[in-house]
Amino acid sequence: MTTADGGPLRLLRHALAWGPLLLLVVGPVLSFLAYGFFSVDGTTIVRTPTLANYARIVTDPIYLPVFARSCALAASVAALSVLLALPVAILLWSLRGTLKYALALAFLVPLLMSYIIKIYAMRAILGGNGFLNRALQALGLVDGPSTLFVFNLNAVLLTLVALLIPFAILPIFLSLERLPRNLMEASADLGGRPWQTLRHVVLPLAMPGIAAGAGFTFVLAIGDFVTPQMVGGTSGFTFARIVFGQFGTAFNWPFGAALAVLMIAAVLAAMALAARAGRPPGTTA
Amino acid sequence: MKLGAVGLAVCWAVAGLVLAILYGPLLLVVVASFFPLRQGQVQWAQFSLDNYAKLMANSGILEALGNTLLVGVVAVVLATVLGTFLAFYYDRSRTRARELLQLLVFLPFLMPPIVTGLALLIWFRDLAIDRSLLTIVIGHTLLILAVVYRTVLVRLQALGPRLVEASLDLGATPAQTFRHVLLPNLGSAIAASALLAFALSFDETIVTLLVTGTTNTLPIRLWSMMRLGFTPDINALVVLVLAFTTVVCLATARFLGPRGLG
């Protein structure tokens, strides 16, 4: 913020900036990646590099299928969340003044509300005797309590969507807000009806926000082990739960790290995909 | 932009559904804290504050709450100072290395919390640092750093270099420039992000679960209570936490103002 400062002061500045980051971000990341190549012997970590963990992941019939299922689940959560978030974001965008501000707040406040509490509340709603079931019965849609979403992957899906919708709404809304209004007017002047304007002008330009929303939700969904534990029962098993388990009683940290690397790969792939999909039309790669 | 009548109706319908999904569960918990729940039926006749009374008597909860607040305050102070410093550093830097710096700042926030937590867990063990309140503070600081950094940087870049140049031209020292020119302009950004960061820290569950030793923060306490069984005073605790978070959120909104949404 000022003109150049002297030698030692400058060095100090650089040290203060990079020091904490190297110590607390680079260090953990590197040691984490390294752990995947270690093994465990009783309660001690054996630090001789080996590929045994990764071999186990590939050959053991549990891990890859669960991983694939968890990725599919996270993708479904992302898709459903974006689907619900889009009309909400469009609605917010079309409003003005206090109503807009108040409604936006209403949709975004849940972002800050206790995560674990929402899971707890969803559990009460999704149970066999829970509110959702009783509402369905009252409406005559089912005869007895449905087990469709009681303590299984569907429950996990519904809960995750309920938790993550605001994360999808925010980027889409912000992306729409940045669009210049005169684009809509131009489209209308050229004879486009609202639906056409939406499809051919607004949506392509809002893609960065939509992609970001889908990306966020995917990343958050795939790493969540609390939700499956609380509402998933025995059949709602996700990859994140397996990873977490390695750091509990199973005490196989190296193996857990190797599994987590798989998860990181999925996250990076999702982010790359989102960045690609979010590139505004007309720009070249 | 004008939506057709049908489009508008569809949007409102979905919005209503989403609001129900977002607030329904919470409403249920609030109701359940004041009225007993028998077999899924609310006993409307038996309003009582028993749950809240039981909560106040529970010293474990109060200790957990104290820890949560302590961690929150310390982590926010650290993150605010470091985040602001890093934002200035990035803005001033003219090298490509600054992109790497920014990536490192964002990394703990972008990775799934489970990964961040596990990486820290392993690292602390390698460094033979015992898990404690300190490790929780470090974890939280790393998570919320990105929020403060980004908010301050965006505001800093929006301000542009002219104000600072003008101030220096008029003879102010860098320190005076910082105090009288930059700080007032950045003040609301820093305050808003600090509040937001505090709320995030208050609620932080996953990373905390992984890097805590035997210390309890509120989310951890809630987590273990829920695994053991559902006693009604959990609902009371939940309502209080919700009230607190709502207040913090509304306070943040005041700082950002309607302009902040754009």
Side-chain angles (χ1 to χ4, degrees), chain A residues 1 14 106 112 120 134 253, chain B residues 23 40 89 92 230 235 245:
Chain A
M1 83 190 147
H14 290 307
L112 296 184
Y120 165 70
R134 292 195 306 113
W253 290 20
Chain B
Y23 287 98
Y89 184 85
R92 262 191 82 171
F230 291 82
N235 293 323
T245 332

Side-chain angles (χ1 to χ4, degrees), chain B residues 169-182:
Chain B
D169 282 347
L170 289 170
T173 65
Q176 286 173 322
T177 309
F178 182 73
R179 249 188 76 207
H180 297 286
V181 177
L182 286 168

Side-chain angles (χ1 to χ4, degrees), chain A residues 153-231:
Chain A
L153 272 182
N154 289 331
V156 177
L157 176 71
L158 289 175
T159 310
L160 282 174
V161 170
L163 288 173
L164 297 177
I165 291 183
F167 286 96
I169 295 179
L170 186 58
I172 303 181
F173 174 62
L174 290 177
S175 176
L176 286 173
E177 285 287 296
R178 278 194 211 116
L179 298 180
R181 302 263 162 191
N182 50 22
L183 269 180
M184 318 308 139
E185 287 162 13
S187 170
D189 283 345
L190 290 167
R193 295 213 298 275
W195 174 243
Q196 289 173 320
T197 309
L198 186 71
R199 243 188 85 198
H200 297 287
V201 179
V202 175
L203 277 184
L205 287 174
M207 269 318 260
I210 298 178
F216 277 163
T217 0
F218 180 85
V219 170
L220 289 172
I222 205 172
D224 190 338
F225 61 87
V226 176
T227 307
Q229 186 126 12
M230 294 253 87
V231 302

